[in-house]
Amino acid sequence: MRFGVSLVASGQREGATQASMIRERVEMVRVARDAGYHIVSAGQHYAPLDGMLPQPMPLLARLAGEAPGMVFQTGVLLGPFYNPVTFAEEAATLAAITGDNFRAAIGLGYRDAEFAMFGQRPTDRLKRVIELIGTSRRLLRGETVSTEGGFYPLNAVALAPGTVGEIPVPIMIGTGAVKGAARAGRIADGLYVTGYLPPSDVEQLVTTYLDNAQRAGTTEPIVSIRREVTVADSRKAALARSGPGWIRTLSSYLSLGFEQPSLARIVRSLEETGDAVDLPFIVGSPQECAEQIDLYRKLGVRDIVIRFDLNEATHAATLHAIEQFAADVMPLVPADTGR
């Protein structure tokens, strides 16, 4: 089991600027590096109304110099908006910068405003992502690619000699849907479980992905998930601290149109009782958090990428949470993958 730090929400506080957000992310990576984390993950949106978000590819290039040997990943990159050649070139560059420690989790996107910005139809997003993954994987293996039809037809296109390293860039599919997990097993190198899925749903996605990856002949499947974590003296104390913010987060997520009955049930339970069964978070004392993580490990999850900076936490509090988790929880989790 390996742990990572997600940089999705860091810095979205009053008075923040892009420059201050990047400085905070640099400090987060330094603290994570020194604390023993393995992965840095950066997400993506365009012109978001809910806060600034530095673009992940140049951000990861900046951060890579702070932590040689760590894995740098997108989580997730909005696939419909990328030309396969553009993505392959940028991915190959990041692989060279990181010493072949870059990987990409690619998602479909879900915000109508972003599709409008790029003049695209949301109904085309799946076809665009399948084309992106298929074409870019071939380019990143050093192949000369010709394609007809599709959104980006190519005629004998190859990356320049020396662009591609010895290790192909791993491409994961970021998804919260069973169909997406099956697709990841068939056409990608790994699965990155996103969103706020409860553990029972995560189990279904992981099992689906691993079954399909086995049938596809994938020898080293990558199973990674993103979770929010709150560590306190007890589960009750952790929920008292983070529960109100989680209610706001999940309610906002549901308002975007995600039809997840389990989340609506969890929100109601948090509002009425302050707790809920099958929470999509890791919460409690260090031992309780380690036991929840161990359940994911036994499913076959290889990596957990953690968001520590929810609920309007100060930057100092975020850094403390990164260090606290590493010191108090990580040593309690067995190292093997469990499946």
Side-chain angles (χ1 to χ4, degrees):
M1 177 67 73
R2 304 187 306 176
F3 296 97
V5 174
S6 171
L7 306 178
V8 169
S10 169
Q12 295 186 10
R13 290 180 279 276
E14 184 178 356
T17 65
Q18 179 114 249
S20 70
M21 292 170 71
I22 292 172
R23 287 194 296 270
E24 288 187 354
R25 283 159 161 75
V26 168
E27 192 168 7
M28 289 172 69
V29 170
R30 290 171 178 168
V31 169
R33 173 201 65 198
D34 294 343
Y37 291 82
H38 290 90
I39 303 160
V40 174
S41 178
Q44 184 176 47
H45 280 297
Y46 289 99
L49 298 177
D50 51 353
M52 292 176 294
L53 193 62
Q55 289 300 301
M57 303 292 258
L59 176 64
L60 293 174
R62 166 63 183 90
L63 298 174
E66 301 293 335
M70 292 186 75
V71 173
F72 292 84
Q73 74 167 48
T74 61
V76 297
L77 200 74
L78 299 177
F81 310 133
Y82 275 83
N83 178 303
V85 179
T86 301
F87 170 73
E89 290 277 14
E90 293 184 0
T93 300
L94 270 168
I97 290 171
T98 61
D100 289 323
N101 282 317
F102 170 69
R103 67 189 191 189
I106 296 175
L108 297 177
Y110 59 88
R111 296 188 178 186
D112 289 340
E114 289 175 323
F115 290 98
M117 291 174 203
F118 285 88
Q120 294 184 9
R121 298 179 301 181
T123 52
D124 289 335
R125 61 183 187 158
L126 177 57
K127 290 184 289 186
R128 287 181 178 274
V129 167
I130 290 174
E131 180 178 339
L132 172 70
I133 292 175
T135 301
S136 60
R137 288 183 86 198
R138 294 179 62 192
L139 291 168
L140 288 166
R141 289 196 295 261
E143 296 181 25
T144 299
V145 179
S146 295
T147 61
E148 295 182 359
F151 298 98
Y152 300 102
L154 302 179
N155 181 18
V157 174
L159 304 186
T163 300
V164 179
E166 294 182 3
I167 303 174
V169 173
I171 297 178
M172 305 180 289
I173 288 181
T175 184
V178 173
K179 288 183 178 179
R183 189 175 302 114
R186 294 193 303 268
I187 70 171
D189 302 298
L191 170 70
Y192 183 56
V193 179
T194 59
Y196 295 97
L197 297 181
S200 56
D201 290 352
V202 172
E203 179 178 7
Q204 186 179 13
L205 263 67
V206 171
T207 300
T208 299
Y209 165 71
L210 290 173
D211 289 345
N212 280 270
Q214 184 179 34
R215 287 196 290 269
T218 303
T219 56
E220 295 185 13
I222 303 169
V223 182
S224 181
I225 66 171
R226 192 189 75 204
R227 295 281 89 169
E228 282 73 23
V229 172
T230 298
V231 183
D233 292 337
S234 66
R235 181 180 178 89
K236 182 178 180 179
L239 285 165
R241 189 168 80 205
S242 294
W246 284 340
I247 291 171
R248 291 192 298 272
T249 297
L250 296 181
S251 297
S252 174
Y253 197 70
L254 288 168
S255 72
L256 292 171
F258 289 89
E259 297 181 359
Q260 293 187 11
S262 59
L263 289 192
R265 172 185 55 76
I266 288 168
V267 169
R268 288 195 301 272
S269 182
L270 284 172
E271 290 174 334
E272 294 170 1
T273 70
D275 202 342
V277 176
D278 217 16
L279 273 176
F281 309 106
I282 294 170
V283 56
S285 68
Q287 185 60 47
E288 288 171 320
C289 289
E291 290 170 358
Q292 293 164 50
I293 291 166
D294 197 43
L295 295 177
Y296 293 118
R297 181 188 66 85
K298 291 175 179 177
L299 294 178
V301 173
R302 169 177 161 183
D303 304 325
I304 296 183
V305 176
I306 301 170
R307 287 178 66 177
F308 292 101
D309 51 3
L310 295 179
N311 306 329
E312 296 81 43
T314 65
H315 180 56
T318 297
L319 297 180
H320 173 72
I322 293 171
E323 293 175 322
Q324 179 190 32
F325 182 86
D328 297 345
V329 179
M330 283 166 53
L332 303 178
V333 180
D336 68 280
T337 58
R339 172 169 171 167

